[in-house]
Amino acid sequence: MTKSDEVQELISSNNDLRKKLNPANEKYYSKLLIYVRTAGLFYDDYEVESKLLEILQDILDAQNDGSNAEDYFGQAPTDTANQLTASFTKTSLHDRLKFFGGLFGITAIWTLVIQLNGQEKQLNLVPFILNGVS
């Protein structure tokens, strides 16, 4: 099983377990999940998803004991997420460059397609490069 498969398995387990949350805990966890996954773009996916699953299991345990996520972790899911992401291992420079290279490639191709489908059907390099950089 590849690391990518393991990450997908963690995400699947996470989605299944989230169905067991009560509405208040679901709201709290959803905010935490979005914040951590967004901030986690530059961290190891497996580590991020493992921690999210661990937190979800803690919330479910607290819920079974009659507590809610706010009592267990604190009022603000963003504070919890910030503490969590501070402990993550950052991805390598190579992986970050691959991410930004892919992002540049997608935006550059999109700009190329738009320009070539326009009325003038010619390539203007300035917006092509600037759109890929921004």
Side-chain angles (χ1 to χ4, degrees):
M1 183 181 292
T2 67
K3 191 171 185 178
S4 178
D5 292 337
E6 291 174 356
V7 169
Q8 290 305 315
E9 190 174 301
L10 287 172
I11 292 170
S12 178
S13 295
N14 191 313
N15 290 336
D16 290 341
L17 284 176
R18 283 175 56 196
K19 295 173 186 171
K20 296 179 181 180
L21 291 171
N22 65 34
N25 287 342
E26 168 61 28
K27 183 177 178 183
Y28 183 95
Y29 184 73
S30 291
K31 286 180 183 178
L32 177 74
L33 178 85
I34 290 168
Y35 192 84
V36 169
R37 282 186 178 162
T38 302
L41 285 175
F42 301 110
Y43 301 106
D44 180 61
D45 290 343
Y46 185 82
E47 184 178 9
V48 169
E49 293 303 326
S50 294
K51 264 311 180 195
L52 284 169
L53 186 59
E54 183 180 316
I55 287 173
L56 177 57
Q57 290 168 336
D58 288 344
I59 291 173
L60 285 169
D61 289 342
Q63 179 177 294
N64 291 336
D65 292 338
S67 291
N68 63 29
E70 285 184 356
D71 295 337
Y72 194 77
F73 286 107
Q75 294 292 324
T78 53
D79 292 342
T80 304
N82 285 333
Q83 291 173 351
L84 187 62
T85 56
S87 68
F88 288 154
T89 306
K90 291 192 176 188
T91 58
S92 67
L93 178 61
H94 178 263
D95 288 341
R96 283 184 269 168
L97 288 174
K98 254 178 32 178
F99 174 77
F100 285 117
L103 190 60
F104 176 81
I106 290 169
T107 57
I109 289 170
W110 182 252
T111 301
L112 177 67
V113 168
I114 289 172
Q115 285 184 11
L116 294 178
N117 281 330
Q119 290 179 354
E120 297 176 20
K121 295 200 189 283
Q122 66 183 30
L123 179 62
N124 184 349
L125 288 179
V126 174
F128 179 74
I129 293 171
L130 289 178
N131 207 16
V133 172
S134 60

